[in-house]
Amino acid sequence: QALNQVHKCTRGNAMEMATFNLKDGYVEAILRGYKGSLLKSGDYALMCQCENLDDLKMHLSTTTYGNLVSEVDVGGANTTTQLIECCTEKFVEEFEYLQCQAEGTLYHFLEMCRIPHMIDNVVLIVSGCLHNQHTPELLEKCHPLGMFDAIASLAVAANMQELYQLVLIDTPLGKYFEGSLSREDLTEMHLEIMRNMLYKCWIEDFNAFCSKVGGTTREVMGRFLSFEADRRAIAIASNSVGTELTHDDKKSLFCKFGSLYPYGQKDLAQAEDHDEILKVLSDYSPYNRLLALASADDDLMIDEILSGQELDLCKESFTQQFHYGVFWAYIKMKEQELRNL
Amino acid sequence: YWGLVFRHISPYMWASLGCALAIGLSVAGAAWGIFLTGSSLVGAAVKAPRITSKNLISVIFCEAAAIYGVITAIILQTKVEDVPIGSDGEWSVKILKAGYAVFGSGLCVGLSNLVCGICVGIVGSSCALADAQNSTLFVKILVIEIFGSALGLFGVIVAIIISASAVFK
């Protein structure tokens, strides 16, 4: 793994620093401005002291969420959801501004960042239709970053084949369906498998894209994506404990890179319960260190530990300039901020 | 054989190339540096408008690279005087030497200001971004830029010393 890293570093683009600003200097600078206005620990401390939603709204309006939040009517029924929707709207506005100022490679990069949201939206709508919910309600629950044109017509599909051929073939998600079509009807289980297949294809595609971009982007995004691949592998392994998913099925859902590839993934696929999963992880760094920290503090769940590690990676990525990793890191940090709110 | 070729190339070609390179490459370096700094400065100033006036210093440092090129080109151009070719069809050694000296001088200042401009540009871009987040960092990063800017100065000094020996008449 260490040798891989060194090899990647030595193939960096020599003129990267001198030519990055040609196309992407302005957009990166705007992004760093956005990152500077993320909520800090002082803001969170103030907000924790709030007695009711009115105070919270007042504090939020002093931050960058300012004028959008002041339109929310506090006395109403769904104030919490409305507040969060306002904040999400602000985030989406920022993202779309970045995307419309970006050109070429950066534009494609931002498109690829949207795809996990698209995948989530597709799965949401299809599972909502299985439970006979109305499409307009489902569309409201979709994440705005993942909207694409044909999304409303997803509701008509009856099985995966139709889903693919009628709707998804023209969207950016189309190419992730190759090789994973089956004639089964859409049930809950198969939806989860479909979601994980799509994620796997997307991560591998993204990794290939970042490798092609090269230079510091490849280095930074490589770290992020292999962590993401590991995280998905751990999630799939722990969620499929006790289900009838076979070892081979599980392995086919794991990505073909990451620090757990290939031996860790083989072990994870064969793990039968949570303890075995933890045992497998304790052989791999940095997971062994993280697990040691977790066992010191009993309340931490493995999800939180992994989120903490991911955010550390995000902070580190901002210490380097002239790469696209900061965009991905900002998206992650903003989403965490929205979850915190 | 090569000596024969070079002896018959007019030293005025070398001299003109020298003047052209002096200003051409320096301005290329300065322009490169300015766009590197400027794009980051414009973006960072959206969220932190206070940085605009201080960070123009970075742009001025880049500009200095171009100024060094202009000065050298003017000095070099005034050195070039018309001396006819000798009666045996060969240029005299003194004129050949002068032509080469002007060329070398121009190349020296041109290349050093090219890289100086790029260097100051990259550092200036980082300076703008850092200043937007934390204003105590500005002066510290400016010191790095000053050192980078000295590179161009070295180029001018050496170029002028070389050109002092270029006497055509």
Side-chain angles (χ1 to χ4, degrees):
Chain A
Q1 175 68 7
L3 279 176
N4 269 344
Q5 292 277 46
V6 168
H7 183 55
K8 279 183 216 164
C9 291
T10 54
R11 280 196 287 167
N13 182 0
M15 290 300 275
E16 174 185 67
M17 278 203 239
T19 51
F20 183 86
N21 277 6
L22 194 56
K23 288 194 179 174
D24 309 315
Y26 174 69
V27 191
E28 189 195 356
I30 295 259
L31 180 92
R32 283 177 182 262
Y34 287 155
K35 185 250 179 189
S37 30
L38 284 176
L39 297 178
K40 302 190 184 22
S41 48
D43 294 316
Y44 285 126
L46 276 178
M47 286 200 279
C48 285
Q49 289 171 353
C50 286
E51 297 287 314
N52 53 30
L53 282 176
D54 233 341
D55 279 345
L56 189 67
K57 187 179 134 182
M58 200 176 64
H59 279 124
L60 274 181
S61 44
T62 60
T63 66
T64 58
Y65 292 117
N67 30 12
L68 283 179
V69 165
S70 51
E71 289 165 9
V72 173
D73 174 22
V74 181
N78 303 333
T79 323
T80 340
T81 31
Q82 274 189 308
L83 269 178
I84 301 302
E85 262 174 33
C86 269
C87 298
T88 313
E89 212 181 282
K90 179 95 204 292
F91 168 45
V92 173
E93 212 180 281
E94 290 177 349
F95 186 85
E96 306 211 311
Y97 180 72
L98 287 176
Q99 205 175 11
C100 77
Q101 291 292 331
E103 51 171 319
T105 325
L106 182 55
Y107 183 82
H108 286 300
F109 184 92
L110 292 175
E111 271 301 300
M112 301 224 59
C113 289
R114 280 186 169 218
I115 288 185
H117 296 288
M118 287 189 199
I119 296 176
D120 285 337
N121 286 351
V122 167
V123 171
L124 181 76
I125 291 192
V126 173
S127 71
C129 292
L130 281 181
H131 296 132
N132 295 322
Q133 288 170 333
H134 289 298
T135 318
E137 287 168 13
L138 290 172
L139 282 178
E140 292 214 342
K141 282 200 247 174
C142 283
H143 195 287
L145 270 189
M147 299 300 274
F148 52 94
D149 288 333
I151 197 166
S153 46
L154 278 176
V156 303
N159 61 24
M160 275 216 256
Q161 280 279 51
E162 271 183 44
L163 194 66
Y164 177 60
Q165 274 160 354
L166 285 181
V167 183
L168 291 168
I169 196 164
D170 284 326
T171 64
L173 290 181
K175 58 184 154 128
Y176 301 133
F177 272 88
E178 287 165 34
S180 62
L181 283 183
S182 66
R183 300 195 177 284
E184 298 142 28
D185 286 328
L186 298 167
T187 62
E188 282 295 329
M189 176 71 158
H190 292 125
L191 271 182
E192 277 307 304
I193 296 185
M194 178 175 86
R195 186 212 294 261
N196 286 310
M197 272 313 249
L198 288 175
Y199 259 99
K200 170 198 161 189
C201 291
W202 165 70
I203 291 187
E204 291 182 349
D205 193 29
F206 204 4
N207 200 39
F209 175 76
C210 292
S211 300
K212 218 163 44 125
V213 173
T216 321
T217 302
R218 173 180 24 209
E219 188 191 321
V220 175
M221 284 309 294
R223 279 200 293 261
F224 274 127
L225 290 177
S226 57
F227 180 79
E228 190 70 26
D230 292 339
R231 196 180 181 187
R232 305 231 97 243
I234 296 171
I236 291 173
S238 43
N239 289 342
S240 58
V241 161
T243 64
E244 66 261 10
L245 213 52
T246 64
H247 294 318
D248 285 330
D249 274 343
K250 277 195 240 185
K251 262 186 77 176
S252 69
L253 292 177
F254 293 159
C255 306
K256 292 193 175 44
F257 64 96
S259 56
L260 289 177
Y261 171 78
Y263 305 113
Q265 288 182 349
K266 190 162 68 82
D267 291 335
L268 272 181
Q270 287 168 352
E272 294 295 326
D273 59 40
H274 290 285
D275 285 331
E276 279 187 40
I277 293 179
L278 291 179
K279 201 158 66 76
V280 170
L281 285 181
S282 56
D283 286 332
Y284 290 89
S285 135
Y287 304 108
N288 53 358
R289 183 175 44 88
L290 292 174
L291 284 178
L293 282 176
S295 54
D297 179 358
D298 283 322
D299 283 342
L300 283 179
M301 313 236 321
I302 190 144
D303 260 349
E304 287 179 27
I305 307 169
L306 291 175
S307 298
Q309 170 73 353
E310 180 173 39
L311 290 169
D312 279 335
L313 282 179
C314 289
K315 277 195 290 195
E316 256 176 55
S317 74
F318 273 92
T319 59
Q320 288 176 289
Q321 204 184 342
F322 308 123
H323 62 93
Y324 297 148
V326 285
F327 292 92
W328 173 259
Y330 176 71
I331 294 176
K332 288 288 157 192
M333 289 163 101
K334 194 71 175 180
E335 289 178 347
Q336 182 62 37
E337 179 180 290
L338 290 172
R339 280 196 288 269
N340 288 349
L341 276 180
Chain B
Y1 176 67
W2 282 110
L4 195 66
V5 171
F6 275 106
R7 272 206 299 279
H8 284 266
I9 295 179
S10 163
Y12 292 102
M13 186 198 98
W14 296 116
S16 315
L17 262 184
C19 295
L21 287 176
I23 183 133
L25 291 178
S26 313
V27 170
W32 199 330
I34 292 180
F35 91 66
L36 284 175
T37 295
S39 52
S40 287
L41 183 53
V42 166
V46 169
K47 285 280 181 177
R50 60 184 165 79
I51 67 169
T52 44
S53 23
K54 276 204 294 186
N55 277 279
L56 285 177
I57 294 181
S58 306
V59 178
I60 292 173
F61 275 127
C62 291
E63 182 74 23
I67 292 177
Y68 297 151
V70 175
I71 294 173
T72 310
I74 292 176
I75 292 176
L76 292 178
Q77 195 277 327
T78 55
K79 296 253 174 219
V80 176
E81 286 157 3
D82 186 24
V83 177
I85 194 169
S87 46
D88 52 354
E90 298 252 331
W91 297 97
S92 79
V93 175
K94 191 171 176 203
I95 299 178
L96 285 177
K97 176 177 178 293
Y100 293 144
V102 172
F103 177 69
S105 175
L107 193 63
C108 167
V109 74
L111 284 180
S112 61
N113 280 298
L114 176 67
V115 291
C116 166
I118 300 174
C119 164
V120 175
I122 295 175
V123 178
S125 135
S126 306
C127 184
L129 294 179
D131 191 16
Q133 303 288 324
N134 178 357
S135 38
T136 59
L137 291 174
F138 176 70
V139 179
K140 299 177 178 149
I141 301 184
L142 199 64
V143 173
I144 305 178
E145 274 189 67
I146 293 173
F147 279 110
S149 174
L151 300 174
L153 197 58
F154 298 156
V156 186
I157 294 172
V158 173
I160 294 189
I161 294 174
I162 297 176
S163 70
S165 67
V167 176
F168 276 81
K169 272 221 174 21

